[in-house]
Amino acid sequence: MSSPESAGHGSATQAPIEYADASPEVRAVYDDIMATRKSDWVNNYWKVLANHPPTLRRMWANSKEVMGPGALDPLTKELIYLAVSVTNACRYCIASHGAAARNKGMTPEQHAELVAIIGLANETNAQAFALDLQIDDKFR
Amino acid sequence: MSSPESAGHGSATQAPIEYADASPEVRAVYDDIMATRKSDWVNNYWKVLANHPPTLRRMWANSKEVMGPGALDPLTKELIYLAVSVTNACRYCIASHGAAARNKGMTPEQHAELVAIIGLANETNAQAFALDLQIDDKFR
Amino acid sequence: MSSPESAGHGSATQAPIEYADASPEVRAVYDDIMATRKSDWVNNYWKVLANHPPTLRRMWANSKEVMGPGALDPLTKELIYLAVSVTNACRYCIASHGAAARNKGMTPEQHAELVAIIGLANETNAQAFALDLQIDDKFR
Amino acid sequence: MSSPESAGHGSATQAPIEYADASPEVRAVYDDIMATRKSDWVNNYWKVLANHPPTLRRMWANSKEVMGPGALDPLTKELIYLAVSVTNACRYCIASHGAAARNKGMTPEQHAELVAIIGLANETNAQAFALDLQIDDKFR
Amino acid sequence: MSSPESAGHGSATQAPIEYADASPEVRAVYDDIMATRKSDWVNNYWKVLANHPPTLRRMWANSKEVMGPGALDPLTKELIYLAVSVTNACRYCIASHGAAARNKGMTPEQHAELVAIIGLANETNAQAFALDLQIDDKFR
Amino acid sequence: MSSPESAGHGSATQAPIEYADASPEVRAVYDDIMATRKSDWVNNYWKVLANHPPTLRRMWANSKEVMGPGALDPLTKELIYLAVSVTNACRYCIASHGAAARNKGMTPEQHAELVAIIGLANETNAQAFALDLQIDDKFR
């Protein structure tokens, strides 16, 4: 008797699509990722997204625009990304953006300060909720 | 008949303690906050914490140490704080640290990029969870 | 021209159903809530749930069983409820269970300690994520 | 010298209770789970809950009522469950309800759209917090 | 003496940009939003995003692609969006996507079931974390 | 060609610092941890924090003050800590504070009730968000 909970067409985890197996459409995105990053490989996030090419294309366009050159320097952008990823407990994102931050020059001392700020902010956020703090007029 | 849900000794929201009404112990912390910040006022977070002086003292010591001079510049520290506070949806903290960031020089363009990065990170964090991404060996 | 975003059949916020307007089925639940709590009123959570009687009945049965007499004393149960509600930033739940905790004897000093622990736990949770801590063998 | 952190009576992780080892009370729930699902096995969530039979019974009653036939079709119910589980980063729940959704007919294309919507919603939620958006009158 | 916490160039909350005051670039996006939705107005989310036109353009492109016609019907897409928004406690998003769902046909009964599923999923997610559930082999 | 994502100076996961390898400053904290806990070992959280001695010192001072003797008994403090850690899905913290709670006397029955309350609170929190509940006047 078949179980309604057993996977019908494979498990939830989708296999990453390697460059050699990718369609021209997917390869074009991989090529742009590597060229933009001056890198010779693509990480799993993109290779798994590639199972749905419109999402791969869309997310790369977003990432390229948001994380590209702007008013904030590249390292600061990665630290902000890390602060979100840690608060959400996203192990994959902490690993990938931690590596990116180190490549953009994050020192161990800066990492320690980053972790301390993230911890403190999570603490004071919770206290603000618990005490139902009213926003000061000067902040409005 | 009294209700088991009515507040026995006042509501959950505690009144902020103003300088004029504060004990010497609390005033000493307020004085250090204002001196450190080169400011002439103290915001509600501290004035509500003052209802429990050991917590006021402890949290100010933590804040002074973590947010003080270090390997990350003051504006970057505030942006990290904001990234956490937005992810946690802490209105008070977004208001107070948004003001602090603007005072430390955050431009409207930098703010727009901050919001874009926070949004993107929350999106990709969720995708990483949904797809149960395996961490690339190069990131380990 | 009608907007696809305007509310078709009323807004998202449902009106609470007062005892006088309630069906016998709903009144029976209200009566049991008041009898169990030795109270003469019912708070908004239940009065809004009453718009869908099966949910009202189901949630009251759950609440009565989980929050009723057991191995943990009534105040400890409320403190645990509050710790979750603060971490989730649920203003309504903090207000209602804060009132319940005070009625069950929570002192201002206990409340201050509760807030301190919640804050610390949120801080160290974030640090544990940031540092990707391995679980000690002794904890397994 | 004993450590205050070592486990006194076994670790936090409780062993699942298999059918062969279950009490009649627990078996009755397992039987109803399998009959309702037209399945011949029970997944770990229920087998671990079985360590506390009142919770097993209560949660199955809730699940049966909430996830049973109603105004939303079975697949839509699973997609909603998945959206919550992904947002909370619950690996177990994503695995179990992902399998359930596939069994109820979720196609790879639908799964890709589900993931895209969850990602987008998490992004815009964060933006709404960052910008402290006022709710439009038409939405009230 | 100026305070380091007072807002330097206005508060954190940005004013929505009305159509009459919008640049041609922004008006083009507003026009497409209204045409796509067959509506005659634009809600605050877009009008506040308009303070940074590249973000307005980017987010509308994403929203149009993700929420447009596909393998999931329009109402199901909104229910998934709502499930995420409720779990994240995003009041604005619950109001706006609640209105959208009602316009796409969500009945009160369906709404009640939606809320029940979201609640149950948040409950069982927490239980799965507490019990550190192992993923069944059949789900892998 | 080097990848911008490969780790420049080691991976994100920092090695725990064992007592034998620790500086006198770090050993002093370890000694106080063990003396306070009447234990002969130190868990990974502290040994990884030791990579940044000011954070180690600061966090131990916080933990000792917040979790030390007070108006709430030691077991209740651990249950509150666990409620937060479960809600945040912090596996490390659930393991370490679960062990601490068992050492302070938490029984299996109390643990089962703790999990049930955490689950219920997460459920009702979500319902309160979904229904945008107004806070009763009696709770203000």
Side-chain angles (χ1 to χ4, degrees):
Chain A
M1 187 166 68
S2 78
S3 159
E5 303 256 338
S6 68
H9 47 80
S11 78
T13 309
Q14 291 171 295
I17 294 181
E18 300 299 335
Y19 192 92
D21 307 317
S23 68
E25 180 185 12
V26 167
R27 281 190 184 186
V29 177
Y30 286 3
D31 286 339
D32 195 39
I33 291 173
M34 291 188 286
T36 302
R37 294 179 165 180
K38 302 189 198 317
S39 172
D40 59 357
W41 71 292
V42 169
N43 55 307
N44 272 339
Y45 171 71
W46 304 108
K47 292 193 287 191
V48 173
L49 280 193
N51 286 283
H52 191 248
T55 299
L56 173 69
R57 195 173 2 88
R58 182 174 60 83
M59 290 309 303
W60 172 242
N62 275 275
S63 181
K64 197 174 174 181
E65 180 173 332
V66 172
M67 299 303 283
L72 294 172
D73 67 273
L75 177 54
T76 299
K77 289 191 167 192
E78 290 295 343
L79 298 179
I80 292 165
Y81 214 115
L82 271 168
V84 172
S85 301
V86 167
T87 300
N88 284 334
C90 183
R91 285 190 77 215
Y92 184 85
C93 314
I94 294 168
S96 62
H97 287 275
R102 286 191 302 276
N103 256 292
K104 285 169 182 163
M106 180 177 70
T107 66
E109 181 68 22
Q110 288 175 322
H111 181 252
E113 292 187 13
L114 171 74
V115 176
I117 298 166
I118 294 170
L120 182 67
N122 274 286
E123 181 177 33
T124 61
N125 284 190
Q127 291 169 327
F129 296 140
L131 300 169
D132 196 19
L133 295 182
Q134 298 306 297
I135 297 177
D136 306 71
D137 288 340
K138 294 202 185 186
F139 291 152
R140 289 179 183 279
Chain B
M1 186 167 69
S2 76
S3 160
E5 304 256 337
S6 69
H9 47 79
S11 78
T13 309
Q14 292 171 294
I17 295 181
E18 300 298 334
Y19 193 93
D21 306 319
S23 69
E25 180 186 12
V26 166
R27 282 189 183 185
V29 177
Y30 286 4
D31 287 337
D32 195 39
I33 291 174
M34 291 188 286
T36 301
R37 293 179 166 181
K38 302 189 199 316
S39 171
D40 59 357
W41 72 293
V42 169
N43 56 306
N44 272 340
Y45 171 71
W46 304 107
K47 290 193 287 191
V48 172
L49 278 194
N51 286 283
H52 192 248
T55 298
L56 173 70
R57 194 173 3 89
R58 182 173 61 83
M59 290 310 302
W60 171 242
N62 275 275
S63 181
K64 197 174 174 180
E65 181 172 332
V66 171
M67 298 303 283
L72 294 171
D73 67 274
L75 177 54
T76 299
K77 288 190 167 191
E78 291 294 345
L79 298 178
I80 293 165
Y81 214 114
L82 272 168
V84 172
S85 301
V86 168
T87 301
N88 284 333
C90 183
R91 285 189 77 217
Y92 184 86
C93 314
I94 294 168
S96 62
H97 287 276
R102 286 192 302 275
N103 257 291
K104 287 170 182 162
M106 181 178 69
T107 66
E109 181 66 23
Q110 288 175 323
H111 182 252
E113 292 187 12
L114 170 74
V115 175
I117 298 167
I118 293 170
L120 182 68
N122 274 285
E123 181 177 33
T124 60
N125 284 188
Q127 292 169 327
F129 296 140
L131 300 169
D132 197 19
L133 295 182
Q134 298 305 297
I135 297 177
D136 306 71
D137 287 340
K138 293 200 184 188
F139 291 152
R140 289 181 184 278
Chain C
M1 184 167 69
S2 76
S3 159
E5 304 256 337
S6 69
H9 47 78
S11 79
T13 309
Q14 292 170 293
I17 295 181
E18 301 299 334
Y19 192 93
D21 308 318
S23 68
E25 179 186 12
V26 166
R27 282 189 184 186
V29 177
Y30 286 3
D31 286 338
D32 194 39
I33 292 173
M34 292 188 285
T36 302
R37 293 178 166 182
K38 302 189 199 317
S39 172
D40 59 357
W41 70 292
V42 169
N43 56 306
N44 271 339
Y45 171 71
W46 304 108
K47 291 193 288 191
V48 173
L49 278 194
N51 286 284
H52 191 248
T55 299
L56 173 69
R57 196 174 1 91
R58 183 174 58 85
M59 290 310 302
W60 172 242
N62 275 275
S63 181
K64 197 175 174 180
E65 179 173 333
V66 172
M67 298 303 282
L72 295 171
D73 67 274
L75 176 54
T76 298
K77 288 190 168 192
E78 291 294 345
L79 298 179
I80 292 166
Y81 214 115
L82 272 168
V84 172
S85 301
V86 168
T87 299
N88 284 334
C90 182
R91 284 191 77 217
Y92 183 85
C93 314
I94 294 168
S96 61
H97 287 275
R102 286 192 302 277
N103 256 291
K104 286 170 183 162
M106 180 177 70
T107 65
E109 181 68 23
Q110 288 175 323
H111 181 252
E113 292 187 12
L114 171 75
V115 176
I117 297 167
I118 293 171
L120 182 68
N122 274 286
E123 181 177 34
T124 60
N125 284 188
Q127 292 168 328
F129 296 140
L131 300 169
D132 196 19
L133 295 182
Q134 299 304 298
I135 297 177
D136 306 71
D137 287 340
K138 293 201 185 187
F139 291 152
R140 290 180 184 279
Chain D
M1 187 167 70
S2 78
S3 159
E5 303 254 340
S6 69
H9 48 79
S11 79
T13 309
Q14 291 172 295
I17 294 182
E18 301 299 336
Y19 192 93
D21 307 317
S23 67
E25 180 186 12
V26 166
R27 282 189 183 185
V29 177
Y30 287 3
D31 287 338
D32 194 40
I33 292 173
M34 292 187 287
T36 302
R37 295 180 166 178
K38 302 190 199 317
S39 171
D40 60 357
W41 71 293
V42 170
N43 57 306
N44 272 338
Y45 171 71
W46 304 108
K47 291 193 287 190
V48 173
L49 278 195
N51 286 283
H52 191 247
T55 299
L56 173 68
R57 197 175 358 90
R58 182 173 60 84
M59 290 309 303
W60 172 242
N62 276 275
S63 181
K64 197 174 173 180
E65 180 173 333
V66 172
M67 299 303 283
L72 295 171
D73 67 274
L75 177 54
T76 300
K77 289 190 167 193
E78 291 294 344
L79 297 179
I80 292 165
Y81 214 115
L82 270 169
V84 171
S85 301
V86 167
T87 300
N88 284 333
C90 183
R91 285 189 78 217
Y92 183 85
C93 314
I94 294 167
S96 61
H97 288 276
R102 287 191 302 276
N103 257 291
K104 286 168 183 164
M106 180 178 71
T107 66
E109 181 67 22
Q110 289 175 321
H111 181 252
E113 292 187 13
L114 171 75
V115 175
I117 297 167
I118 294 171
L120 182 68
N122 274 286
E123 181 177 32
T124 60
N125 284 190
Q127 291 168 329
F129 296 140
L131 301 169
D132 197 19
L133 295 182
Q134 299 305 299
I135 297 177
D136 306 70
D137 287 340
K138 294 202 185 186
F139 291 152
R140 290 180 185 278
Chain E
M1 186 167 69
S2 76
S3 159
E5 303 257 337
S6 69
H9 47 79
S11 78
T13 308
Q14 292 171 294
I17 295 180
E18 300 298 336
Y19 193 93
D21 307 317
S23 68
E25 180 186 12
V26 166
R27 283 188 183 186
V29 177
Y30 287 3
D31 287 337
D32 195 39
I33 291 173
M34 292 187 286
T36 302
R37 293 178 167 183
K38 303 189 200 315
S39 171
D40 59 358
W41 72 292
V42 169
N43 57 306
N44 272 340
Y45 170 72
W46 304 108
K47 291 193 287 191
V48 172
L49 277 194
N51 286 283
H52 192 248
T55 299
L56 173 69
R57 196 173 2 91
R58 182 173 60 83
M59 291 310 303
W60 172 242
N62 275 275
S63 181
K64 196 174 175 180
E65 180 173 333
V66 171
M67 299 303 283
L72 295 171
D73 66 275
L75 176 54
T76 300
K77 288 190 168 193
E78 291 294 343
L79 298 179
I80 292 165
Y81 214 114
L82 272 169
V84 171
S85 301
V86 167
T87 300
N88 284 333
C90 183
R91 285 190 77 216
Y92 184 85
C93 314
I94 294 168
S96 62
H97 287 276
R102 285 191 303 276
N103 257 291
K104 287 169 183 163
M106 180 178 69
T107 65
E109 181 67 22
Q110 288 175 323
H111 181 252
E113 292 186 12
L114 171 74
V115 175
I117 298 167
I118 293 171
L120 182 68
N122 274 284
E123 180 177 34
T124 60
N125 284 189
Q127 291 169 328
F129 296 140
L131 300 170
D132 196 19
L133 294 183
Q134 299 305 299
I135 297 176
D136 306 70
D137 287 341
K138 293 201 185 185
F139 291 152
R140 290 180 184 278
Chain F
M1 186 166 68
S2 78
S3 159
E5 303 257 336
S6 68
H9 47 79
S11 78
T13 309
Q14 291 172 296
I17 294 182
E18 300 298 336
Y19 192 94
D21 307 318
S23 68
E25 180 185 11
V26 166
R27 283 189 182 185
V29 177
Y30 286 3
D31 287 338
D32 195 39
I33 291 172
M34 291 188 286
T36 301
R37 294 180 166 180
K38 302 190 199 319
S39 171
D40 60 356
W41 71 292
V42 169
N43 56 307
N44 272 339
Y45 171 71
W46 304 108
K47 291 193 287 192
V48 172
L49 278 194
N51 286 283
H52 192 247
T55 299
L56 173 69
R57 195 174 0 90
R58 182 174 60 84
M59 291 309 303
W60 171 241
N62 276 275
S63 181
K64 197 174 173 181
E65 181 173 331
V66 172
M67 298 303 283
L72 295 171
D73 66 274
L75 177 54
T76 299
K77 289 190 167 191
E78 291 295 344
L79 298 179
I80 293 165
Y81 214 114
L82 271 169
V84 171
S85 301
V86 168
T87 300
N88 284 333
C90 182
R91 285 191 77 217
Y92 184 85
C93 314
I94 295 168
S96 62
H97 287 275
R102 286 191 302 276
N103 257 290
K104 286 168 182 164
M106 180 177 71
T107 65
E109 181 67 22
Q110 288 175 322
H111 181 252
E113 292 186 12
L114 171 75
V115 175
I117 298 167
I118 294 171
L120 182 69
N122 274 286
E123 181 177 33
T124 60
N125 284 190
Q127 292 168 327
F129 296 140
L131 300 170
D132 197 20
L133 295 182
Q134 299 306 297
I135 297 176
D136 307 69
D137 287 341
K138 294 202 185 186
F139 291 153
R140 289 179 184 278

